[in-house]
Amino acid sequence: MTPCFVAPVSIRPGARSPTGTTACQQAGCLRFSLFLPSSSHRQNPPARQAHRHKAPTMLFNFFYNRAEDIDLDKLAEKHPAVLVTDLRKTFKKRVKGKGSDKKENKIITALDGVSFSANRGQVLGLLGPNSSGKTTTLRCISTMSDPDSGTAQMFGIDVHKDPYLAREMLGFVAQSAGLDKVLTGREHLELFADLAHLDRATKRRNIEAYIEVLGLKDFIDRQAGVYSGGVIRRLDMAIALLHQPPILILDEPTVGLDVESRMVIWNVLRHHRSQGGTIILTSHYLEEVDVLSDKVVIMDKGVVIAEGTPTELKNSLGGDRISIRLQEFTEMEEAELACATLRKRGLAQEAIINRVRNNTLELVVSSSNARVGGEIVGALGEIGFEKLFSFSQSKPTLDDVYLAATGQSLSDADQVAKEKRTDKAMRQESMA
Ligand SMILES: Nc1ncnc2c1ncn2[C@@H]1O[C@H](COP(=O)(O)OP(=O)(O)OP(=O)(O)O)[C@@H](O)[C@H]1O
């Protein structure tokens, strides 16, 4: 199927409906978590909202549809769509103590003062290796998690002080969808449209529009249990967009998807932005962030290490990148000798030894000198490296921005983090 895009519905500032978001992380039961009070409100419900907590049957009364009274145009003149200020978040984890089988508490700092902002109509890409704090940031913005300190605002509204209103303004697509296997796609959409209190005409119009643009026609009347990963993700996206939220938050929306599903999702995101929607997305795919984002925030170990437009970030690195593997297994002394020689001869503006990639030399060279590649090969030949194992020259990428800041590429950092964090731990954390 060729991904085709028909503009469905426009984002209504101050949309009438509340959030019909897919808050679920792993299982169906969490799907409703955005319809429930945030943890601070569960412990300390404000008096004004106390009546909402009386019984589960009050679930559908959580919403006042207050967003419809908000003049987003006015608010957007004064405030960014999303403003995150000095977010800090730690977790306690039970781990085996050193030298004994007894378990002890370990404090994990997931966010260590994260700040950034996105204006209305912007796509902000959060980039970083596993465990850098991207999901925790999104969970704090979308009220699913309370930070230890710091604030997150949507159009000037503090999301933790007024989580109900914040939830009316956002759509959330989590890393994995918790669909009900026995419901069809259409039944999911109808359920969430009802939870979002859409009127009958809007409900019908939006459901049909998103079935069309997300290419769900052939699957929508089948049970979700038989859906492929790509279709699940597209349905999840339709649910998040049903109430046309001004802010859309997506945690790795295209991970593991086929090219067709990825293109469909990219088109929908572009359309959402063109209608004035603001999008915050995380991704491991550098090219996806590069192509879609107006602004990129690169995170590492719970802090922001770089921020700007993709072009600004790449230009800030100076010239072309050259990556050289001297031998299949390069010794550290050999890499250091080669690095020192190139620096001494002024052939590299910067030279880093990438330990994770078998001591590969990562160089920044002047892009105005067309012969610099040849000169480097010649200089290395003179000190005994006549036959290089590999040599590549390219324009800077976002991965180079990360490399320059941390000394390792994103994929290498991902690998290191994955080795430390099991799938089981990740599942447990996302359910917490
Ligand atoms: N509920 C939790 N309990 C304990 N530790 C947690 C919890 N949630 C996150 N963490 C820890 O916080 C750190 C940041 O995790 P987070 O999921 O935000 O990273 P990430 O950048 O989104 O990674 P990924 O790309 O793998 O999702 C990790 O070290 C993780 O182990």
Side-chain angles (χ1 to χ4, degrees):
M1 187 187 72
T2 326
C4 78
F5 192 79
V6 187
V9 279
S10 59
I11 293 160
R12 294 168 298 157
R16 180 193 162 278
S17 56
T19 178
T21 51
T22 53
C24 45
Q25 290 282 290
Q26 294 292 336
C29 59
L30 278 178
R31 166 169 292 286
F32 292 97
S33 63
L34 276 188
F35 288 92
L36 295 167
S38 69
S39 51
S40 65
H41 278 238
R42 278 197 295 274
Q43 285 146 18
N44 255 330
R48 191 165 56 79
Q49 292 160 344
H51 68 281
R52 298 176 178 191
H53 303 278
K54 278 183 188 159
T57 49
M58 301 294 282
L59 184 72
F60 285 79
N61 295 331
F62 278 144
F63 307 108
Y64 290 129
N65 292 333
R66 282 164 56 210
E68 68 177 345
D69 301 328
I70 286 179
D71 186 343
L72 274 194
D73 293 330
K74 239 184 186 170
L75 286 180
E77 281 171 18
K78 287 195 212 145
H79 304 279
V82 177
L83 175 65
V84 169
T85 314
D86 202 20
L87 276 189
R88 288 169 197 275
K89 176 85 183 167
T90 52
F91 292 100
K92 256 190 216 152
K93 208 172 184 177
R94 299 283 290 164
V95 291
K96 263 190 189 166
K98 273 182 196 157
S100 83
D101 278 351
K102 256 193 170 178
K103 288 204 166 179
E104 53 188 46
N105 279 336
K106 186 181 168 197
I107 302 289
I108 294 168
T109 304
L111 302 180
D112 197 5
V114 170
S115 303
F116 59 79
S117 67
N119 289 331
R120 192 176 186 191
Q122 267 193 337
V123 178
L124 183 141
L126 267 184
L127 200 61
N130 284 115
S131 301
S132 55
K134 305 180 298 295
T135 302
T136 307
T137 306
L138 296 192
R139 285 173 69 96
C140 288
I141 299 174
S142 56
T143 75
M144 282 194 284
S145 202
D146 291 330
D148 299 344
S149 65
T151 57
Q153 295 182 355
M154 287 180 190
F155 294 101
I157 296 154
D158 188 318
V159 303
H160 294 99
K161 286 190 179 145
D162 202 343
Y164 296 104
L165 182 55
R167 292 167 193 184
E168 286 183 41
M169 296 202 291
L170 68 92
F172 191 93
V173 178
Q175 257 179 36
S176 43
L179 301 178
D180 189 323
K181 288 182 184 169
V182 297
L183 293 185
T184 65
R186 191 182 296 282
E187 285 165 345
H188 276 95
L189 293 177
E190 283 172 354
L191 170 66
F192 278 90
D194 288 340
L195 280 171
H197 293 194
L198 296 188
D199 63 63
R200 206 185 277 189
T202 313
K203 173 178 162 181
R204 197 175 324 128
R205 192 184 66 232
N206 289 9
I207 287 179
E208 290 311 319
Y210 284 113
I211 289 174
E212 175 72 30
V213 296
L214 284 155
L216 289 167
K217 237 184 200 158
D218 295 343
F219 316 96
I220 203 68
D221 292 311
R222 292 191 209 157
Q223 289 183 326
V226 300
Y227 287 177
S228 67
V231 178
I232 289 174
R233 190 42 69 106
R234 284 189 255 162
L235 178 62
D236 210 15
M237 189 109 170
I239 294 171
L241 284 165
L242 264 186
H243 65 296
Q244 300 151 265
I247 294 169
L248 184 62
I249 297 179
L250 308 109
D251 201 357
E252 302 193 19
T254 60
V255 70
L257 296 193
D258 55 285
V259 177
E260 180 195 313
S261 294
R262 205 196 271 200
M263 287 301 127
V264 170
I265 287 176
W266 282 19
N267 282 338
V268 173
L269 293 181
R270 285 187 177 123
H271 176 75
H272 192 72
R273 172 178 53 186
S274 73
Q275 298 294 301
T278 306
I279 299 170
I280 312 268
L281 64 91
T282 69
S283 181
H284 282 245
Y285 299 126
L286 294 161
E287 78 281 10
E288 177 166 285
V289 173
D290 202 341
V291 166
L292 289 178
S293 308
D294 302 297
K295 190 172 181 180
V296 179
V297 170
I298 303 184
M299 291 182 68
D300 187 48
K301 299 188 180 110
V303 296
V304 173
I305 55 168
E307 188 178 348
T309 67
T311 313
E312 273 169 10
L313 287 173
K314 288 184 284 186
N315 287 348
S316 71
L317 293 178
D320 288 1
R321 333 302 295 170
I322 289 185
S323 186
I324 300 171
R325 234 164 113 176
L326 298 170
Q327 314 199 25
E328 191 170 5
F329 302 102
T330 310
E331 297 295 337
M332 191 56 177
E333 299 82 62
E334 294 174 322
E336 277 169 353
L337 170 68
C339 236
T341 307
L342 298 177
R343 280 204 197 105
K344 209 155 114 196
R345 299 203 184 178
L347 290 170
Q349 292 163 14
E350 274 175 47
I352 298 173
I353 299 170
N354 188 343
R355 285 167 224 269
V356 185
R357 281 213 187 145
N358 189 26
N359 296 333
T360 302
L361 304 186
E362 310 282 4
L363 316 173
V364 180
V365 297
S366 159
S367 29
S368 57
N369 176 3
R371 285 175 310 188
V372 70
E375 287 171 17
I376 286 173
V377 173
L380 292 175
E382 284 173 30
I383 55 168
F385 302 107
E386 278 107 17
K387 282 192 179 164
L388 299 176
F389 184 74
S390 70
F391 179 101
S392 65
Q393 182 164 359
S394 62
K395 296 280 167 218
T397 64
L398 288 177
D399 204 12
D400 295 313
V401 179
Y402 184 80
L403 180 71
T406 64
Q408 61 182 334
S409 71
L410 258 173
S411 51
D412 295 335
D414 255 350
Q415 197 51 42
V416 173
K418 261 185 199 149
E419 281 161 16
K420 287 190 189 158
R421 201 171 160 209
T422 61
D423 285 351
K424 190 176 164 208
M426 282 166 80
R427 264 200 311 279
Q428 282 171 345
E429 288 163 6
S430 67
M431 302 279 285

